[in-house]
Amino acid sequence: MTDIEHPEVFHGLPVLTLPGPGRPGTHPLPSAEAVAWRLESAWRGDLTFAALWQHFLDTVDTSRVRALLIGPWWQEEYEPFGPVVELLAAHADRFPSLRALFLADVVSEECELSWLEMADITPVVEAFGQLRELTVRGCGQPAAGQAVLGLRPVRHAELTSLRFESGGLPSSVVRAVGASELPALEHLELWLGVTEYGGDATVGDLAPLLSGAAFPNLRHLGLQNSEIQDEIAAAVASAPVVAQLRSLSLAMGTLGDLGAESLLAGQPLTHLTALDLHHHYISDPLVDRLRKILGPDRVDGEPHEVEYWDPDEDDERYVAVSE
């Protein structure tokens, strides 16, 4: 899980990990609305997530909680996320002020991204109709018999930011996002990943997102961390959605000269305030051309971090985050 760390700030609030019952921590606890609350039960002896959740409900005025992060929820062995989804959905009425939710704030020292066994998160999306920001990390590996991330098409009137961080995002999730009604959505970020870890989405699966019709208020689109980044760039080059964007990310994947040439030959990008291409495989002359057209401060052209790479060897390319 390269370069991923626990956020110190979430939804504009400092993150505080809730101390378990009977454990030393921040005393007294801050006002419920003053921090983003983070819950983790792993490595806490016999403290199950269900017990920690009940402690949270009993200790904090959850009616005033604005932001919530779910950290490691297992104890000794990794467990699927399903029971956490059930708890969240069952107690949604206790969180009328919740505007931001992070499922799940886990880094590689705790569990590799591809080992996070997720679940169908649709019940959470439907239960928290007032959410503005939703971040989802992890997926699970179907080939390894793990529980995997799921999503059904939903209608959510308030969601403005939706972010999926994965080393292998299933095509079913990508299609569900494209089929959802999210009229307020402004920021969408999909880490598509690689087929080895379940990332089987194709450019065709992205068509509703690229059409511009799905989310009329979309201003940032990230289609990134993909092993088909050149194909995605070629599709983006003529995609109607680009005209409504302020920023675009094709970063973290295997983007090379072919994809860069597609962008240069495609529709104008000069209206973008930012084009994120970091971790790329583009030759310097093409990066320079993109910077000349858009402006040097608008293009993040930081390349992949290796000393040598042969541009004729596609097999040497890798995405930034997979396992």
Side-chain angles (χ1 to χ4, degrees), residues 97-110:
S97 300
L98 191 68
R99 297 295 181 268
L101 185 59
F102 193 150
L103 313 172
D105 177 23
V106 180
V107 298
S108 59
E109 289 79 8
E110 298 161 334

Side-chain angles (χ1 to χ4, degrees), residues 13-34:
L13 298 169
V15 176
L16 174 67
T17 299
L18 178 71
R23 298 174 185 272
T26 303
H27 296 288
L29 292 175
S31 299
E33 71 277 12

Side-chain angles (χ1 to χ4, degrees), residues 179-207:
S180 293
E181 294 183 52
L182 308 172
L185 194 67
E186 299 176 359
H187 182 110
L188 176 63
E189 187 171 321
L190 305 178
W191 295 15
L192 298 166
V194 299
T195 54
E196 182 180 357
Y197 293 108
D200 58 349
T202 65
V203 170
D205 295 320
L206 300 172

Side-chain angles (χ1 to χ4, degrees), residues 70-154:
I70 305 298
W73 62 89
W74 57 88
Q75 289 182 274
E76 296 181 2
E77 300 294 331
Y78 299 136
E79 298 174 359
F81 197 65
V84 179
V85 168
E86 293 175 4
L87 285 172
L88 287 167
H91 295 98
D93 61 335
R94 299 282 299 269
F95 295 85
S97 300
L98 191 68
R99 297 295 181 268
L101 185 59
F102 193 150
L103 313 172
D105 177 23
V106 180
V107 298
S108 59
E109 289 79 8
E110 298 161 334
C111 180
E112 295 292 352
L113 188 69
S114 63
W115 301 353
L116 285 172
E117 296 192 56
M118 298 302 289
D120 186 342
I121 63 167
T122 310
V124 171
V125 181
E126 294 176 334
F128 291 93
Q130 75 279 15
L131 273 185
R132 303 285 179 81
E133 178 178 357
L134 175 62
T135 297
V136 181
R137 176 179 292 165
C139 182
Q141 300 180 64
Q146 297 176 345
V148 298
L149 179 66
L151 179 69
R152 300 187 302 276
V154 296

